[in-house]
Amino acid sequence: PRAIAHLVRQHGAAAVIGVQQRDRVVALKAARRCGVPGVVTLQNQHVFWGPWPLRAVKERYYRHHVRRGAALALAVSDGVAREAHERFGLSPQRIVVVPNAVGDAQPTDHAAVEQRRREFVDDAGLLLLSVGRIDPQKGFDVLLPAIAAVRGQFPALRVVIAGGTTQGPRAAAAERHARELQAQVQHLGLADTVVFAGFRSDVAELLRAADAYVQPSRWEGFPLTLLEAMQAERPVVATEGAGRPAGFVDGTHGYIVPTGDSTGLAKAITMVLQATPLQRMEMGRANGALVRANYRIDDVRRRSADALEGLVGGPSTRPAEHIAE
């Protein structure tokens, strides 16, 4: 905190912003030390790791400093805002919801999209895509029983899970979870149905190649991949843990089911895959329109800038695109 406070004074900063969970308390202490507002950006629901006594101590320490020192919290979703209020004691007046957003859709490379589709299915196949790192948070162990339940109705179904394993301090646990998922695939007889594709740099093409997208997360802030799938005009199936986009209507845009509910996922996936190609196209177009209406990156940048300007008492001297980032 002392070093950060020195930088704040040196550069005349109007506020200190803590972005990552591990950095927020340090940022708030620095802000308090030099007498400027402390801001936290909340991109996800909170998890405190370690054995139980340590987790409890970490959460209590974090809650004390956030409640005491955060003049403003920028929350990525209504669910994250609710957690900030109910779990950490921030008043609603100090919380502004600033969702994730996407830029303008890029032109589609139809040849690349067709190549990605051919990588996994033939003309008669159905391609279901999920994107996320291999981690218990992402709920792939909940998705697999759902796929086992629907596979008999859709024998040409291929499910592609794109994402690498978590790195850093939890890398060993992530690798163990990856092995558990592989064992689950074998146990459920899904070896010919489910593909773990690893990290992919061509997610945009994979989204366009898929017939539908599924986000089975146990918890999230507001996943960018869900927005990207909607922008790519795919019907989506997601859990409540992944968040409900503003304006999302079950049956019109896809389906949102209770978190951790394999049976609910199976029913929703069945409804999407049983729809005609035209019906899935209409769902996808509705998703594209919803994203364009509510999740344009320029609008979200402006919302961030307005919140910060309101806090520090006047227009910022920096462009809005830098404030949001």
Side-chain angles (χ1 to χ4, degrees):
R2 184 176 301 173
I4 296 173
H6 173 73
L7 290 173
V8 170
R9 296 188 184 101
Q10 181 180 355
H11 296 284
V16 180
I17 304 175
V19 178
Q20 300 294 333
Q21 181 174 320
R22 64 178 179 271
D23 301 327
R24 291 172 194 145
V25 169
V26 174
L28 294 174
K29 284 184 172 182
R32 185 176 179 85
R33 181 183 289 268
C34 55
V36 300
V39 179
V40 292
T41 62
L42 307 176
Q43 301 93 354
N44 209 330
Q45 297 180 45
H46 291 71
V47 177
F48 297 89
W49 301 105
W52 161 244
L54 180 59
R55 293 201 308 270
V57 170
K58 285 181 177 179
E59 180 166 348
R60 187 163 56 248
Y61 180 78
Y62 180 89
R63 180 171 57 245
H64 168 77
H65 285 284
V66 168
R67 184 173 55 210
R68 180 187 185 194
L72 175 67
L74 302 177
V76 76
S77 68
D78 290 337
V80 172
R82 186 165 51 250
E83 183 197 47
H85 171 57
E86 296 176 355
R87 186 176 178 185
F88 300 112
L90 282 174
S91 67
Q93 292 75 23
R94 288 193 280 166
I95 304 170
V96 176
V97 175
V98 181
N100 280 329
V102 291
D104 294 335
Q106 298 301 307
T108 301
D109 184 339
H110 294 285
V113 169
E114 181 62 20
Q115 183 179 7
R116 299 306 181 277
R117 186 171 178 85
R118 293 289 182 185
E119 183 179 346
F120 299 107
V121 296
D122 58 22
D123 289 340
L126 287 168
L127 180 57
L128 183 64
L129 177 67
S130 191
V131 178
R133 69 186 185 279
I134 304 302
D135 188 281
Q137 175 189 356
K138 300 302 180 180
F140 296 130
D141 57 318
V142 179
L143 174 63
L144 293 177
I147 299 305
V150 307
R151 181 188 49 180
Q153 300 175 68
F154 308 102
L157 174 65
R158 183 64 64 90
V159 180
V160 174
I161 297 173
T165 55
T166 297
Q167 301 301 307
R170 299 192 62 250
E175 291 290 348
R176 183 169 60 252
H177 183 63
R179 292 192 296 271
E180 291 168 351
L181 289 176
Q182 292 286 0
Q184 190 179 13
V185 165
Q186 296 299 322
H187 175 72
L188 294 171
L190 296 175
D192 294 332
T193 302
V194 174
V195 177
F196 290 97
F199 172 80
R200 301 284 297 227
S201 60
D202 56 351
V203 168
E205 288 80 13
L206 287 173
L207 286 169
R208 291 286 185 183
D211 293 289
Y213 179 81
V214 59
Q215 186 89 37
S217 304
R218 285 186 166 86
W219 75 88
E220 294 280 359
F222 187 45
L224 189 58
T225 49
L226 183 62
L227 284 183
E228 290 171 342
M230 295 171 69
Q231 184 184 46
E233 299 191 343
R234 302 300 95 179
V236 299
V237 173
T239 59
E240 292 171 348
R244 178 180 287 270
F248 189 99
V249 177
D250 286 339
T252 299
H253 302 95
Y255 298 93
I256 293 179
V257 304
T259 302
D261 183 359
S262 292
T263 301
L265 277 174
K267 290 179 179 178
I269 290 168
T270 297
M271 286 188 284
V272 168
L273 296 183
Q274 280 183 339
T276 66
L278 178 59
Q279 288 170 329
R280 286 197 294 269
M281 184 182 298
E282 289 172 347
M283 283 187 188
R285 287 175 175 169
N287 280 333
L290 187 150
V291 168
R292 289 190 295 274
N294 296 331
Y295 298 103
R296 294 178 63 253
I297 197 164
D298 289 342
D299 295 339
V300 170
R301 283 172 171 166
R302 189 69 258 162
R303 194 182 306 182
S304 297
D306 288 345
L308 291 169
E309 289 168 4
L311 177 68
V312 301
S316 170
T317 58
R318 301 187 66 193
E321 58 266 26
H322 295 300
I323 294 173
E325 294 167 357

